Amino acid sequence: MSLLHQIALSCIPGIGSILARNLISYCGSPEEVFVTKKGHLSKVPGIGPKTLELIRNHTAFERAERELCFIEKYKIQALFLTDNAYPKRLKNCFDAPVMLYFKGSADLNTGKVISIVGTRKSTEYGKDICRELLAGLKKHNPLIISGLAYGIDFLAHKEALKNSMSTIGIMAHGLDRIYPQQHRSIAEKMITDGGLLTEFMSGTVPDRENFPKRNRIIAGLADVTIVVEANIKGGALITADLANSYNRDVFAYPGRINDEYSSGCNHLIKTNRANLITKLADLEYILGWTGSQTQSATNQQLSLAIDLSAEEKIIADVLLNKGSIIVDELAILTGFPQSKLAAHILGMEMKGVLIGMPGKVYKLA
């Protein structure tokens, strides 16, 4: 599949994530989008005369060629929605970006991914919580996601690196710049042990409207979003709402009722949009991360001694081999339709063989 056509599709004005998905689904590939007759394209939901003309506008290819030169020069990984390396958790979100640009070393599909967000004007209370949280998470070795902004974001990245955990900053601009500039040194460290990720091409500046788009990636990449400290109108609450819309777990640390920078967290908890967290054990209990995080192959084989059907054994064998796996990938590897797979998963959960985790991830009990 042509990377030039993939990038070009993302360059067309007015074609967002959802419409691009529709076009690819209808035409079969990005290349076909550009050669399919107008009469056929007009049948795609959301495509009007103006968009049809834009698809035929070859300036998209000119822009894509410049971007291709940029990513090749700076060794940036371009990830299209259908690529195997595209983050699977994000792919499950209805508005996932068609293109992602990544510079770093982290595995975007690693077993545990946590987003940590909060106010840019963090207090000592919030800073202490963040340090304690990251130190405790070290034993689980998750990938830490945040937005490289001032305050809680910066501290989450800093403490993740301090505790030898990979961390990725999600950018609201292209990878030809760092914003804020003061965070360049930590961003460079993150590229070595984590990375920088964006949906925006080089030359894109950090305009205000880009940050809510950035926040959906922060929410969609992770199993769980943790709000450490936030104002009721802060961007952290937008991220929390997005995580809820993706059916992901959200946690929030409570604060004093008259504290401006805890008002957002208190509101999330009060409105049942976030689980209350006061210590790491709260998160471990709700996510099922309690107890030993490793299990011997012998014990796993013993757990499979329960009477399983032939198809359930196929599922169990995949889980035994993979450890933990997102449901979409499980469907591909087993060859079962989603409806049949869902029924088997429910039955195996009731037998105590299988455990469901955030982000539609499953593993053996």
Side-chain angles (χ1 to χ4, degrees), residues 2 34 61 85 125 135 177 198 247 254 269-270 273 293-294 365:
S2 166
F34 290 98
F61 282 100
Y125 169 73
R177 69 192 71 214
T198 185
N247 197 29
I269 296 166
K270 182 174 68 175
R273 288 148 62 200
Q293 296 302 307
T294 59

Side-chain angles (χ1 to χ4, degrees), residues 14-24 44-48 51 98:
I15 295 185
S17 304
I18 297 173
L19 187 52
R21 283 190 181 214
N22 290 342
L23 283 166
I24 295 167
V44 178
I47 295 292
T51 308
V98 175

Side-chain angles (χ1 to χ4, degrees), residues 97-138:
V98 175
M99 286 294 311
L100 291 173
Y101 301 97
F102 178 56
K103 187 171 180 63
S105 58
D107 177 5
L108 299 173
N109 289 304
T110 192
K112 296 174 182 176
V113 185
I114 297 176
S115 289
I116 299 176
V117 295
T119 179
R120 297 183 180 218
K121 299 179 180 179
S122 53
T123 66
E124 286 305 314
Y125 169 73
K127 292 175 183 177
D128 288 343
I129 286 173
C130 200
R131 294 186 187 103
E132 181 180 347
L133 173 64
L134 270 297
L137 284 171
K138 181 178 181 178

Side-chain angles (χ1 to χ4, degrees), residues 32-53:
E32 289 299 316
V33 170
F34 290 98
V35 297
T36 299
K37 294 180 179 179
K38 289 184 178 181
H40 293 304
L41 285 180
S42 63
K43 298 176 182 178
V44 178
I47 295 292
K50 184 177 180 180
T51 308
L52 284 172
E53 290 302 320

Side-chain angles (χ1 to χ4, degrees), residues 131-364:
R131 294 186 187 103
E132 181 180 347
L133 173 64
L134 270 297
L137 284 171
K138 181 178 181 178
K139 62 184 176 182
H140 297 289
N141 193 32
L143 174 63
I144 302 299
I145 306 292
S146 199
L148 202 63
Y150 291 111
I152 296 300
D153 286 22
F154 175 82
L155 191 59
H157 294 306
K158 179 182 176 182
E159 292 299 310
L161 293 174
K162 178 181 176 181
N163 287 282
S164 303
M165 290 179 285
S166 294
T167 181
I168 293 178
I170 312 302
M171 321 300 284
H173 48 78
L175 291 178
D176 57 329
R177 69 192 71 214
I178 298 296
Y179 177 83
Q181 179 64 29
Q182 292 88 329
H183 294 172
R184 175 170 291 278
S185 60
I186 194 170
E188 291 172 350
K189 293 176 183 176
M190 289 164 62
I191 291 173
T192 302
D193 195 0
L196 303 175
L197 180 75
T198 185
E199 68 176 302
F200 299 105
M201 293 189 293
S202 60
T204 306
V205 298
D207 288 332
R208 185 174 183 177
E209 63 268 20
N210 292 349
F211 288 91
K213 295 179 182 178
R214 181 274 304 269
N215 291 346
R216 85 187 193 284
I217 300 178
I218 294 175
L221 273 176
D223 301 310
V224 54
T225 294
I226 303 174
V227 187
V228 173
E229 192 177 31
N231 188 293
I232 199 164
K233 293 184 178 180
L237 263 69
I238 295 175
T239 306
D241 285 341
L242 287 163
N244 275 310
S245 74
Y246 300 148
N247 197 29
R248 309 292 168 83
D249 281 287
V250 178
F251 288 79
Y253 281 89
R256 292 177 297 182
I257 59 173
N258 58 350
D259 190 335
E260 177 184 0
Y261 297 114
S262 288
S263 61
C265 291
N266 291 343
H267 182 70
L268 286 171
I269 296 166
K270 182 174 68 175
T271 55
N272 295 316
R273 288 148 62 200
N275 298 294
L276 184 149
I277 179 174
T278 60
K279 54 186 181 298
L280 179 61
D282 299 332
L283 180 140
E284 291 174 324
Y285 174 75
I286 292 175
L287 296 186
W289 290 2
T290 54
S292 174
Q293 296 302 307
T294 59
Q295 186 178 24
S296 70
T298 301
N299 287 340
Q300 286 186 327
Q301 293 287 3
L302 287 174
S303 72
L304 297 181
I306 298 170
D307 185 25
L308 298 179
S309 69
E311 291 185 339
E312 286 176 336
K313 286 179 181 177
I314 293 173
I315 296 170
D317 286 342
V318 172
L319 292 172
L320 188 60
N321 181 50
K322 290 288 186 177
S324 62
I325 189 171
I326 196 164
V327 69
D328 291 351
E329 187 175 359
L330 185 58
I332 293 170
L333 293 176
T334 60
F336 297 151
Q338 288 281 0
S339 56
K340 177 183 285 190
L341 182 61
H344 285 320
I345 285 173
L346 178 60
M348 293 174 74
E349 283 184 303
M350 293 178 68
K351 292 177 182 178
V353 176
L354 181 149
I355 296 174
M357 300 166 64
K360 297 182 179 180
V361 174
Y362 292 92
K363 67 175 183 178
L364 292 176

